[in-house]
Structures are given as C-alpha cells and as structure tokens.
Amino acid sequence: MAYRETEKMRKRKAQARQRILDCTLECVAEGGFRHAKVTRIASMAGVATGSIYRHFESREELFAEVFRLATQKEVDKVAEALGTKGDAVVRLERSLRQFAERALRGPMIAWSLIAEPVDTKVERERLRYRRAYAGLFEGAIREGMAEGTIPEQNARQSSTCLVGAIAESLVGPLSPAKLDDTSGNDPETDQQLVNSIIRFCMQGLTGTRR
Amino acid sequence: MAYRETEKMRKRKAQARQRILDCTLECVAEGGFRHAKVTRIASMAGVATGSIYRHFESREELFAEVFRLATQKEVDKVAEALGTKGDAVVRLERSLRQFAERALRGPMIAWSLIAEPVDTKVERERLRYRRAYAGLFEGAIREGMAEGTIPEQNARQSSTCLVGAIAESLVGPLSPAKLDDTSGNDPETDQQLVNSIIRFCMQGLTGTRR
DNA sequence: TAAATAAGTGAATCATCATTCATCCTTTAT
DNA sequence: ATAAAGGATGAATGATGATTCACTTATTTA
C-alpha cells in the first residue's frame, strides 16, 4: 500500500545533506560563521530553507557538524605528520609546521576554527578540537621523554602551551582585518613566521637552542 | 534666563556613567558579555534603559569601554611586575606569574577578557589588549637580549607566543563549564599549573632548563 | 492507478533585544 | 515664579534571521 524509505531515497537525502555541509563550509570559508546565513546556505545548496531543518536540528547544530568535519581534516594531517619517521623532536617539528602552514594557506577557515567568536555549541567543538591537537602533541612529547630526546616535563601542560603559542601567533596574521587588505600574503614572510614560532616551541619543549 | 550645564550636573552625570560602567563589569563578571543585557544593566545602575544611551553610543561601545578599563588594570599589573628589580629573566617570570595568578583569581572576568566570543568592537579591543601584553613582554625580551640574559631572537614573535601559551593554558581551567562545577579551585593545583606554564615559557625564551 | 506516506517548500511567524523618541521631570537663570 | 534648556524615562519600535508548518510534490506499494 504504502511508502517505505528505499535505498534510492536514502542516498538522495544523504547527498542533499552533504551538499548542505559543503555549502556551509564554503560560506564559512568566505566570511566566517557569523556571515553564514541559513537562507544563503539553502539557496547555494539548491534546497528550501526549511529543508535544512530536515537534516539538522538547528543552525548551531549544522555549524557544529561543519566545524567537526573541517577540524577532523586538520587534526588528521597533524596526526599524519606525527606518524612519520624520526625521533619525537623532528616529528613534532614537522607537525607544528603542518599545522601552521595549512592555517596560513586557508586563512579564513583557519581563523574561523581558531579564533572567530562563535556560539556555544561550536565553541564546545572548538575546545574539543584544541584538546585533540593537544592530545596528539602530548603523546609525542611522552615518546620524546621515553626515548630521551625531550626532558622530563608535564606533557599535558606543554602540549597546551604549544597549541596556544601557535594559535596566538596565527591570530594576528589571520584576522579578517588583515585578510582583506590587498597586500597579499608574502610566502616568504609566512615562512619566517612559521620558523620563529617553531623555534620558540621547540625550545620551550627541549630547553635547547639550535 | 536659561539652563546651562553646571558643575553639579556634570558630576552627577559622571557618577551615573561610572555606575553604569561598574554594573556592566559586575554583570560581565557574573555571566560574561553575552549575558549582560542592557535592560539588566540599567536596572542595576538605577537608571532607565534609554539613559544608557545618553552615556554610550551603543551597547557595543559600552562593552568596549568596560573591556578597556578591565584590561588596563591587568596590563598595569603586568607592567608593574616588569618594572621591579632584577634582570629581564626574573622580571619576565614575575610578570607571567602575575598575569596567570590574577586570571585564576577572577576566572569569569578573565575568561571574558581572554576567550569569550564577543562582538567586533570588543574583539578589536581584545586584539589591542593582547598586543599590549605582547608589547610589554617584547620590551623586556629586548632588554634581556641587550643584557645578555636572553639569546637573540624575534622578540615580537616570542612575546606573542608567551601570550598564547598562557592564554591557552588558562582557557581550559577558566572555561565556564569548569567554572560552575562545584569542585572549587584548589589553590595548590593552580600553583602547579602556573609553575609549569612558566617553565615552558621561560625555556622557550631562554632555551635553558633550570 | 490509487492510497499511503514521506520529503520538500518558502512565506509567515517568532523570539530576542538593542535602540528610539514623545513625553515628563529637573535644573538653571532671571 | 517662570521660562528656557537639558536630562531622564520606558513603552513601543525595529531589525535581524532563525525556525516553523500548512501545503505541495514525490515516491512507494498494492
């Protein structure tokens, strides 16, 4: 007699959902969460406003999901860099560089993830995100302590400092005020920036100048 | 014939203005900027809503002013600690401790100043505020480099890292989720927290374990 | 094809608060 | 005391957008 959800429909819905997520990310990459209006997202995704709410509890929930996804990608990259060959020190260095360089390459989205004022649910995701990074770093620091390349210390605390130092150093260069000045980001300057951040961080960790 | 602003009136207005500022700060200290509603502030200050706008352009402007004042106090304390006797290294250490300890003592307001999502104008003040700290630290780092207690480095960059490392380390302990758990802040734990932050920072700066 | 059910729509609604402004109240100066 | 000039008031307004929901359209099964 009746209708029953079929594979085809399930797929179609999944696609719509995905399109909404993609468009939201695109909006965020353009102007941050604040400027990503539900109506805009809907029209970009080719669905009605109301349809957004078939897929997501609320705007905040949608944003939280987008945040989670965008974040996961970044965290994975850092994890990947930490999984390469070498002692903990060089791997940490690689991963810090990865973090910073990726942020400078996608500045608006990085700013949104790191520093844009957001609502509670997204803010909660952000704390998770930062903790995820810190967790990764913490593990590597422990490995370094075990293998003797990093002196004994409170690994949890140090990892938090790493995240903070990088984030703060990037906030200036990433802030929207700077983003839309046309002076363009000089890749050489960026490189120097990254280098000095890393220097500070590695010194903080190892207590050794190089 | 007519009315002309007199000293008495000027004073009364100044008092009202001050009362508004005080109450706003009080509100912020209770629940952050987000929960500080204009109507609430007005009634606390014993004035009509509209009167707020006799003294401040807008809610945002009021908040920006409050932010500035609260901030100035903090910055001054750090500057004071930097002005004490001793070489740059010990003075920096003192000032970092000052910064962190004060934050832990007034956690909600500290969170608002450091990490609460806020509107553009206030956010702008926050950038200034962070730069003010960074500027102070930067000066001290230069002094250290000049006197030979701190190795050559990009002082600007390092100071930014300091601010970031501290801020990030505090965001966890300060975040409202933690603030209203009743477990109370153990002063001993706080002390350890502060110590390890400082250790990391000083190492990052000097490249020397102690 | 028809009945049953779900998905999709988007204009209308709602919620939230900051902000305004017509009005009344105070102060000043004569 | 009174006129002139602000000052203070707070209910009403306005702006912004998220969210809803009555209705339309699609899909499935018999």
Side-chain angles (χ1 to χ4, degrees):
Chain A
M1 334 140 238
Y3 178 99
R4 254 179 164 289
E5 186 180 67
T6 181
E7 193 47 41
K8 175 185 164 197
M9 272 298 111
R10 216 184 328 271
K11 193 173 292 179
R12 180 192 291 186
K13 280 201 284 178
Q15 279 176 348
R17 189 189 146 93
Q18 191 55 49
R19 223 164 40 244
I20 292 169
L21 286 170
D22 293 344
C23 292
T24 305
L25 182 62
E26 196 179 327
C27 276
V28 171
E30 271 166 23
F33 287 100
R34 182 181 298 258
H35 295 300
K37 313 289 178 202
V38 175
T39 42
R40 173 92 196 295
I41 292 166
S43 83
M44 276 175 75
V47 298
T49 330
S51 301
I52 299 275
Y53 293 85
R54 304 242 155 218
H55 297 279
F56 302 92
E57 192 69 25
S58 66
R59 172 188 134 108
E60 267 209 78
E61 206 59 69
L62 165 61
F63 283 2
E65 176 83 20
V66 166
F67 193 99
R68 236 172 274 136
L69 293 171
T71 270
Q72 193 56 55
K73 217 185 303 175
E74 298 302 313
V75 170
D76 287 348
K77 286 288 173 185
V78 166
E80 193 187 311
L82 278 177
T84 55
K85 286 285 174 201
D87 65 26
V89 174
V90 308
R91 286 181 295 123
L92 269 164
E93 196 169 324
R94 263 185 222 123
S95 65
L96 293 177
R97 176 161 270 120
Q98 184 75 226
F99 181 140
E101 282 176 352
R102 285 183 61 87
L104 291 167
R105 217 171 298 139
M108 181 61 92
I109 189 72
W111 174 74
S112 289
L113 298 184
I114 293 174
E116 185 186 358
V118 291
D119 286 315
T120 15
K121 279 189 182 161
V122 179
E123 185 66 25
R124 198 165 302 143
E125 291 304 320
R126 177 179 286 159
L127 286 180
R128 257 196 264 291
Y129 154 69
R130 292 191 166 207
R131 244 180 267 132
Y133 275 121
L136 288 175
F137 293 145
E138 184 182 343
I141 293 171
R142 285 190 201 292
E143 288 164 24
M145 295 193 303
E147 75 192 16
T149 49
I150 295 178
E152 287 300 318
Q153 60 195 280
N154 181 333
R156 187 111 173 69
Q157 187 51 52
S158 296
S159 66
T160 305
C161 287
L162 290 183
V163 173
I166 302 187
E168 180 76 17
S169 298
L170 294 175
V171 165
L174 295 181
S175 80
K178 307 242 170 165
L179 289 186
D180 50 37
D181 78 9
T182 45
S183 67
N185 281 9
D186 173 17
E188 190 148 345
T189 314
D190 281 359
Q191 209 47 54
Q192 288 187 344
L193 172 68
V194 173
N195 285 335
S196 46
I197 298 172
I198 289 181
R199 170 127 75 105
F200 182 95
C201 287
M202 297 315 292
Q203 251 179 223
L205 236 39
T206 65
T208 317
R209 271 167 271 160
R210 280 182 315 138
Chain B
M1 334 144 236
Y3 178 98
R4 252 177 166 288
E5 186 180 65
T6 182
E7 193 47 42
K8 175 184 164 197
M9 272 298 109
R10 216 185 326 272
K11 193 173 292 178
R12 181 190 293 184
K13 279 200 283 178
Q15 280 176 347
R17 189 189 147 94
Q18 190 55 51
R19 224 166 39 245
I20 292 168
L21 286 170
D22 293 344
C23 293
T24 305
L25 183 63
E26 196 179 328
C27 275
V28 172
E30 273 167 21
F33 288 99
R34 181 180 299 256
H35 295 299
K37 313 288 178 204
V38 175
T39 43
R40 172 92 195 297
I41 293 166
S43 83
M44 277 175 77
V47 299
T49 331
S51 302
I52 300 276
Y53 294 85
R54 305 238 151 223
H55 297 280
F56 303 91
E57 192 70 23
S58 66
R59 172 188 135 109
E60 268 209 74
E61 205 60 69
L62 165 61
F63 283 2
E65 176 83 19
V66 165
F67 192 100
R68 235 172 274 137
L69 293 170
T71 272
Q72 192 57 54
K73 218 184 303 176
E74 298 303 312
V75 170
D76 287 348
K77 286 289 173 184
V78 166
E80 193 186 311
L82 278 177
T84 55
K85 287 285 175 202
D87 64 26
V89 174
V90 307
R91 287 181 294 123
L92 269 164
E93 195 169 324
R94 266 186 219 122
S95 65
L96 294 176
R97 176 161 272 122
Q98 184 75 224
F99 181 139
E101 282 176 351
R102 286 182 62 85
L104 290 168
R105 218 171 298 141
M108 179 62 92
I109 189 73
W111 174 74
S112 289
L113 298 184
I114 293 174
E116 185 187 357
V118 291
D119 286 314
T120 15
K121 279 188 183 164
V122 178
E123 184 66 25
R124 199 165 302 143
E125 291 304 319
R126 177 180 286 160
L127 286 181
R128 257 196 263 291
Y129 155 69
R130 291 192 167 206
R131 243 180 269 134
Y133 275 121
L136 288 176
F137 291 145
E138 183 182 343
I141 293 171
R142 285 190 200 292
E143 288 165 24
M145 295 193 302
E147 74 192 17
T149 49
I150 296 178
E152 288 299 318
Q153 60 197 280
N154 181 335
R156 186 112 174 69
Q157 187 50 53
S158 297
S159 66
T160 306
C161 288
L162 291 183
V163 173
I166 301 185
E168 181 76 18
S169 298
L170 295 175
V171 165
L174 296 180
S175 79
K178 306 242 171 159
L179 289 184
D180 50 37
D181 79 10
T182 45
S183 66
N185 281 9
D186 174 17
E188 190 147 343
T189 315
D190 280 0
Q191 209 48 53
Q192 288 186 344
L193 171 68
V194 173
N195 284 335
S196 46
I197 298 172
I198 288 183
R199 171 129 75 104
F200 181 94
C201 287
M202 297 315 292
Q203 250 179 223
L205 234 38
T206 65
T208 317
R209 272 166 268 160
R210 281 181 317 138

